[in-house]
Amino acid sequence: MRGFDIIIEPILTEKTYPMIAEKRYGFIVQKTATKPQIKEAIEKIFGVSVSKVNTLNRLGKEKRRGRTKGFTAEVKVAYVQLKEDSKGIEYFDSLV
């Protein structure tokens, strides 16, 4: 897989904004992506050095409309920690 196939979109929430100062960033990634693939994709796309990748599978929430109920999509989330000597990701730095 190529880098842009693995990384779907960045996560910008109340939880992730304070993490930007610590060079930690959140991304929604492909469900089949592994930690080494995520690390390689981030390094290739943004030109940074990654020290650690934490992943979690977020289950879909139950939604109801009348009598019909279903679930939102399940996603895989990756939290990426950059090395201290690495530069930050410019996209996120402009938000702080």
Side-chain angles (χ1 to χ4, degrees), residues 33-49:
T34 62
K35 288 182 181 184
Q37 288 175 335
I38 296 167
K39 178 180 177 179
E40 182 182 331
I42 295 293
E43 289 177 345
K44 189 175 184 182
I45 292 170
F46 298 108
V48 295
S49 300

Side-chain angles (χ1 to χ4, degrees), residues 46-94:
F46 298 108
V48 295
S49 300
V50 176
S51 66
K52 185 167 66 169
V53 176
N54 294 355
T55 60
L56 61 99
N57 288 313
R58 191 165 62 195
L59 298 176
K61 294 180 181 180
E62 183 178 320
K63 297 289 183 177
R64 290 184 17 181
R65 179 167 281 172
R67 282 191 251 175
T68 307
K69 70 177 177 179
F71 291 89
T72 59
E74 297 179 357
V75 294
K76 186 171 192 173
V77 176
Y79 292 105
V80 177
Q81 174 70 50
L82 301 184
K83 294 182 181 176
E84 288 190 24
D85 60 341
S86 176
K87 66 180 179 83
I89 297 176
E90 294 174 13
Y91 174 77
F92 290 97
D93 290 340
S94 65

Side-chain angles (χ1 to χ4, degrees), residues 14-26:
E14 291 180 8
K15 179 181 178 181
T16 59
Y17 275 110
M19 294 172 19
I20 294 172
E22 303 166 5
K23 293 188 179 179
R24 285 181 56 104
Y25 305 98

Side-chain angles (χ1 to χ4, degrees), residues 7-19:
I7 307 300
I8 297 173
E9 65 184 38
I11 300 174
L12 301 171
T13 61
E14 291 180 8
K15 179 181 178 181
T16 59
Y17 275 110
M19 294 172 19

